Amino acid sequence: MTSTWVEPSNTAAALLLLGRGTDPDSERGVDCPGELPPPSDPNLVARATAAKAKLGQRVFVLGHHYQRDEVIQFADVTGDSFKLAREAAARPDAEYILFCGVHFMAESADILTSEKQRVILPDLAAGCSMADMAALPQVETAWELLEELGVAGSTVPVTYMNSSADIKGFVGRNGGVVCTSSNAERALRWAFERGQRVLFLPDQHLGRNTAVLEMGLDADDCVLYDPHKPGGGLTAQQLREAKMILWRGHCSVHGRFTLSSVNEVRMRVPGVNVLVHPECRYEVVTAADYVGSTEYIIKMIEAAPAGSAWAVGTELNLVRRLANAHPDKQIMFLDRAVCYCSTMNRIDLPHLVWALEELVAGRIVNQITVDPDTAHHARVALDQMLALP
Ligand code: 13P
Ligand code: SF4
């Protein structure tokens, strides 16, 4: 019997199937309730400048290093996720914190600021695929398994900043700590002073790279917990004996760099220095010359001698900005195929103008709020990070 394909009827789901319409879940914030200016508006820079000037000290704009140039020019402070968390906590007088970054960063800013301050993410679709890889029910299931095996009490949960507020809340409730790529080693040392093993969420690569390359653990001390498999795909013995239980999550941008990207650039550019972010795979980090957070990458390039060559394995907006700022050095993207972080790129000038002009008109748009109970526990884990020795 042959069946003929029939175009689905005109429902929201059918339109999505056909690649049309908007997905109410993944495209949150795309349809702005106000007037989103068209990207072709030649006055966008002037409009953002005027709105920001009208708001004065009432607004403080934070910009992550992976943001577009058109946005970063309006940031009062730029930084990696650790620096931006500290900056948000250090601005009690700003009524509005406008976060040009991604959702988990804005959540952390809301947790670290006072109740009367408002945190705004210009486009709610600026999420993070890595953060989405660890959902609270999955993590709770993993923790219950550790409890059944009698090892939860000797396990310290550590979550990368790149996780949702409820994961940070879980970690705070269970005696753990948040870390970023600039303090992961200190966070792990802190955790191993308190327990025999660490449950590291959600970035397997940062966890493995820090444990093996900085803490001197054996690769065999690390096991990979897959939330999509029963028991994480691990035996009870593996879970009991592991020192690092790595969550199976990764960054879709940094995960693209491969060992052949490193080998290829070394062949092509003799004497090149390979500088990568610790979200890259283990084999990339071990083949690189230097590894560190985005702030570290920037400092390395700034301190590099004129004429030196650098292949940088991190997000493209930052690499391009570094190349433009240092024309006396040869700075290139580590991979031949260029790749932005698509969610970081959601924040563009039209969304920034829209969010600022709405504030001028007395309307708060795209406010990010974390419920008080989650915020309380997440704050414990974030404060612990900020207090790390
Ligand atoms: P850092 O800002 O901590 O270097 O992390 C990079 C990143 O992927 C942010 O999303
Ligand atoms: Fe998430 Fe990676 Fe983008 Fe950072 S660069 S926001 S970790 S997807």
Side-chain angles (χ1 to χ4, degrees):
M1 193 180 102
T2 53
S3 62
T4 338
W5 186 81
V6 182
E7 181 164 314
S9 59
N10 194 7
T11 62
L15 286 172
L16 280 174
L17 200 68
L18 294 168
R20 288 187 254 139
T22 48
D23 178 343
D25 294 323
S26 68
E27 297 286 288
R28 282 170 299 143
V30 176
D31 301 319
C32 298
E35 285 294 308
L36 190 68
S40 57
D41 181 343
N43 299 318
L44 287 178
V45 170
R47 284 173 66 172
T49 309
K52 202 163 172 254
K54 273 191 196 134
L55 291 162
Q57 304 291 316
R58 295 172 66 202
V59 69
F60 193 72
V61 181
L62 296 173
H64 189 272
H65 291 309
Y66 297 168
Q67 290 287 294
R68 298 160 178 262
D69 287 349
E70 68 189 42
V71 167
I72 216 84
Q73 63 181 318
F74 290 102
D76 294 306
V77 164
T78 59
D80 64 3
S81 49
F82 180 67
K83 184 172 165 194
L84 295 181
R86 287 177 64 157
E87 288 288 342
R91 304 286 155 184
D93 298 331
E95 220 174 302
Y96 309 119
I97 302 285
L98 211 133
F99 213 117
C100 298
V102 290
H103 194 265
F104 69 78
M105 296 178 182
E107 279 186 331
S108 298
D110 182 54
I111 293 163
L112 290 167
T113 49
S114 76
E115 254 176 53
K116 55 180 184 7
Q117 291 176 285
R118 307 269 186 261
V119 176
I120 290 151
L121 183 66
D123 185 344
L124 295 180
C128 165
S129 52
M130 180 203 285
D132 291 345
M133 289 176 197
L136 184 60
Q138 293 174 322
V139 175
E140 283 170 342
T141 302
W143 195 252
E144 277 160 24
L145 178 60
L146 296 179
E147 280 172 340
E148 278 164 31
L149 295 175
V151 296
S154 53
T155 304
V156 180
V158 177
T159 190
Y160 190 21
M161 179 69 102
N162 303 18
S163 56
S164 63
D166 52 9
I167 297 296
K168 293 187 179 83
F170 169 88
V171 166
R173 260 184 214 102
N174 290 286
V177 65
V178 175
C179 74
T180 70
S181 53
S182 46
N183 59 22
E185 184 191 351
R186 281 183 287 143
L188 283 191
R189 291 200 187 284
W190 178 92
F192 279 114
E193 278 163 20
R194 282 152 186 85
Q196 290 168 25
R197 77 186 65 63
V198 164
L199 170 63
F200 193 88
L201 306 153
D203 185 12
Q204 57 165 304
H205 300 304
L206 178 67
R208 187 181 296 105
N209 290 331
T210 312
V212 177
L213 302 174
E214 294 189 48
M215 307 269 301
L217 263 69
D218 222 75
D220 292 341
D221 292 328
C222 306
V223 293
L224 194 59
Y225 182 97
D226 185 342
H228 300 290
K229 289 190 179 155
L234 296 166
T235 63
Q237 192 184 354
Q238 282 176 310
L239 284 165
R240 279 201 194 97
E241 289 177 0
K243 292 208 173 92
M244 285 288 284
I245 303 173
L246 302 169
W247 194 260
R248 195 183 187 116
H250 68 274
C251 166
S252 38
V253 176
H254 292 92
R256 290 173 60 98
F257 301 112
T258 60
L259 184 55
S260 44
S261 330
V262 179
N263 294 337
E264 196 271 336
V265 81
R266 288 204 196 279
M267 296 270 288
R268 194 160 40 91
V269 188
V272 70
N273 297 282
V274 177
L275 171 58
V276 301
H277 194 281
E279 286 174 18
C280 293
R281 297 157 194 254
Y282 179 74
E283 63 269 24
V284 172
V285 168
T286 38
D289 301 303
Y290 305 97
V291 55
S293 77
T294 44
E295 281 289 321
Y296 171 88
I297 289 172
I298 293 167
K299 287 197 181 105
M300 287 296 286
I301 297 289
E302 280 171 355
S308 55
W310 295 83
V312 187
T314 193
E315 209 273 342
L316 186 57
N317 277 311
L318 174 59
V319 181
R320 267 200 10 214
R321 202 151 40 239
L322 285 170
N324 291 338
H326 299 275
D328 58 329
K329 302 164 198 175
Q330 197 189 343
I331 295 165
M332 66 212 84
F333 194 60
L334 175 57
D335 199 31
R336 271 185 182 277
V338 298
C339 183
Y340 293 99
C341 170
S342 57
T343 48
M344 282 277 180
N345 261 8
R346 298 296 310 212
I347 313 288
D348 58 7
L349 201 44
H351 281 87
L352 183 65
V353 168
W354 171 68
L356 284 168
E357 289 183 348
E358 289 293 305
L359 286 179
V360 171
R363 290 185 293 268
I364 297 169
V365 291
N366 289 8
Q367 188 185 343
I368 302 299
T369 48
V370 177
D371 75 80
D373 183 57
T374 304
H376 169 77
H377 293 287
R379 175 139 199 169
V380 171
L382 278 164
D383 282 344
Q384 186 53 63
M385 173 189 81
L386 294 172
L388 281 172

